[in-house]
mmCIF file of all heavy atoms in Angstrom:
data_model
loop_
_atom_site.group_PDB
_atom_site.id
_atom_site.type_symbol
_atom_site.label_atom_id
_atom_site.label_comp_id
_atom_site.label_asym_id
_atom_site.label_seq_id
_atom_site.Cartn_x
_atom_site.Cartn_y
_atom_site.Cartn_z
ATOM 1 N N TYR M 323 -7.393 -4.767 6.823
ATOM 2 C CA TYR M 323 -6.452 -3.630 6.852
ATOM 3 C C TYR M 323 -7.047 -2.409 6.181
ATOM 4 O O TYR M 323 -6.878 -1.274 6.644
ATOM 5 C CB TYR M 323 -5.177 -3.983 6.047
ATOM 6 C CG TYR M 323 -4.315 -5.136 6.508
ATOM 7 C CD1 TYR M 323 -4.722 -6.449 6.299
ATOM 8 C CD2 TYR M 323 -3.054 -4.917 7.028
ATOM 9 C CE1 TYR M 323 -3.889 -7.522 6.658
ATOM 10 C CE2 TYR M 323 -2.234 -5.987 7.392
ATOM 11 C CZ TYR M 323 -2.663 -7.280 7.194
ATOM 12 O OH TYR M 323 -1.845 -8.304 7.539
ATOM 13 N N GLU M 324 -7.705 -2.626 5.034
ATOM 14 C CA GLU M 324 -8.222 -1.488 4.285
ATOM 15 C C GLU M 324 -9.455 -0.915 4.973
ATOM 16 O O GLU M 324 -9.645 0.317 4.978
ATOM 17 C CB GLU M 324 -8.560 -1.873 2.833
ATOM 18 C CG GLU M 324 -8.826 -0.643 1.970
ATOM 19 C CD GLU M 324 -9.135 -0.922 0.510
ATOM 20 O OE1 GLU M 324 -9.335 -2.106 0.169
ATOM 21 O OE2 GLU M 324 -9.170 0.029 -0.264
ATOM 22 N N VAL M 325 -10.276 -1.780 5.561
ATOM 23 C CA VAL M 325 -11.437 -1.281 6.314
ATOM 24 C C VAL M 325 -10.958 -0.388 7.460
ATOM 25 O O VAL M 325 -11.457 0.722 7.656
ATOM 26 C CB VAL M 325 -12.281 -2.477 6.844
ATOM 27 C CG1 VAL M 325 -13.352 -1.998 7.807
ATOM 28 C CG2 VAL M 325 -12.922 -3.225 5.647
ATOM 29 N N LEU M 326 -9.949 -0.838 8.199
ATOM 30 C CA LEU M 326 -9.464 -0.078 9.353
ATOM 31 C C LEU M 326 -8.868 1.246 8.905
ATOM 32 O O LEU M 326 -9.199 2.310 9.459
ATOM 33 C CB LEU M 326 -8.381 -0.883 10.078
ATOM 34 C CG LEU M 326 -8.825 -2.027 10.970
ATOM 35 C CD1 LEU M 326 -7.617 -2.780 11.511
ATOM 36 C CD2 LEU M 326 -9.694 -1.523 12.112
ATOM 37 N N THR M 327 -7.958 1.191 7.931
ATOM 38 C CA THR M 327 -7.241 2.406 7.590
ATOM 39 C C THR M 327 -8.082 3.377 6.792
ATOM 40 O O THR M 327 -7.670 4.517 6.586
ATOM 41 C CB THR M 327 -5.930 2.104 6.802
ATOM 42 O OG1 THR M 327 -6.283 1.323 5.644
ATOM 43 C CG2 THR M 327 -4.980 1.294 7.640
ATOM 44 N N SER M 328 -9.277 2.929 6.362
ATOM 45 C CA SER M 328 -10.185 3.860 5.648
ATOM 46 C C SER M 328 -11.062 4.644 6.642
ATOM 47 O O SER M 328 -11.686 5.621 6.230
ATOM 48 C CB SER M 328 -11.090 3.071 4.730
ATOM 49 O OG SER M 328 -10.333 2.412 3.728
ATOM 50 N N LEU M 329 -11.160 4.194 7.873
ATOM 51 C CA LEU M 329 -12.072 4.858 8.850
ATOM 52 C C LEU M 329 -11.725 6.328 8.918
ATOM 53 O O LEU M 329 -10.580 6.695 9.234
ATOM 54 C CB LEU M 329 -11.977 4.205 10.203
ATOM 55 C CG LEU M 329 -12.480 2.761 10.272
ATOM 56 C CD1 LEU M 329 -12.122 2.110 11.605
ATOM 57 C CD2 LEU M 329 -13.991 2.697 10.012
ATOM 58 N N GLY M 330 -12.680 7.168 8.663
ATOM 59 C CA GLY M 330 -12.379 8.552 8.367
ATOM 60 C C GLY M 330 -12.237 9.460 9.570
ATOM 61 O O GLY M 330 -12.362 9.029 10.706
ATOM 62 N N GLY M 331 -11.963 10.722 9.273
ATOM 63 C CA GLY M 331 -11.698 11.714 10.298
ATOM 64 C C GLY M 331 -12.944 12.345 10.905
ATOM 65 O O GLY M 331 -12.861 13.079 11.863
ATOM 66 N N ARG M 332 -14.138 11.992 10.363
ATOM 67 C CA ARG M 332 -15.343 12.637 10.887
ATOM 68 C C ARG M 332 -15.890 11.931 12.119
ATOM 69 O O ARG M 332 -16.780 12.459 12.776
ATOM 70 C CB ARG M 332 -16.428 12.714 9.812
ATOM 71 C CG ARG M 332 -16.094 13.676 8.703
ATOM 72 C CD ARG M 332 -17.325 14.104 7.924
ATOM 73 N NE ARG M 332 -17.886 13.030 7.132
ATOM 74 C CZ ARG M 332 -18.729 13.199 6.142
ATOM 75 N NH1 ARG M 332 -19.125 14.417 5.823
ATOM 76 N NH2 ARG M 332 -19.209 12.166 5.477
ATOM 77 N N TYR M 333 -15.404 10.714 12.368
ATOM 78 C CA TYR M 333 -15.908 10.007 13.534
ATOM 79 C C TYR M 333 -15.388 10.639 14.821
ATOM 80 O O TYR M 333 -14.223 10.993 14.901
ATOM 81 C CB TYR M 333 -15.473 8.546 13.530
ATOM 82 C CG TYR M 333 -15.982 7.759 12.353
ATOM 83 C CD1 TYR M 333 -15.123 7.260 11.398
ATOM 84 C CD2 TYR M 333 -17.347 7.524 12.201
ATOM 85 C CE1 TYR M 333 -15.573 6.557 10.321
ATOM 86 C CE2 TYR M 333 -17.822 6.812 11.120
ATOM 87 C CZ TYR M 333 -16.922 6.332 10.175
ATOM 88 O OH TYR M 333 -17.388 5.650 9.123
ATOM 89 N N LYS M 334 -16.236 10.647 15.816
ATOM 90 C CA LYS M 334 -15.767 10.950 17.170
ATOM 91 C C LYS M 334 -15.209 9.655 17.708
ATOM 92 O O LYS M 334 -15.914 8.656 17.830
ATOM 93 C CB LYS M 334 -16.970 11.408 18.013
ATOM 94 C CG LYS M 334 -16.625 11.771 19.410
ATOM 95 C CD LYS M 334 -17.888 12.377 20.092
ATOM 96 C CE LYS M 334 -17.594 12.710 21.537
ATOM 97 N NZ LYS M 334 -17.495 11.529 22.395
ATOM 98 N N ARG M 335 -13.911 9.658 17.959
ATOM 99 C CA ARG M 335 -13.288 8.434 18.477
ATOM 100 C C ARG M 335 -13.359 8.424 19.994
ATOM 101 O O ARG M 335 -12.937 9.417 20.623
ATOM 102 C CB ARG M 335 -11.828 8.332 18.012
ATOM 103 C CG ARG M 335 -11.707 7.931 16.529
ATOM 104 C CD ARG M 335 -10.303 8.241 15.983
ATOM 105 N NE ARG M 335 -10.052 7.592 14.690
ATOM 106 C CZ ARG M 335 -10.591 7.892 13.523
ATOM 107 N NH1 ARG M 335 -11.504 8.861 13.474
ATOM 108 N NH2 ARG M 335 -10.259 7.268 12.415
#
Side-chain angles (χ1 to χ4, degrees):
Y323 299 73
E324 192 179 11
V325 170
L326 284 175
T327 56
S328 298
L329 293 171
R332 290 200 292 197
Y333 297 114
K334 181 173 179 288
R335 284 163 167 71

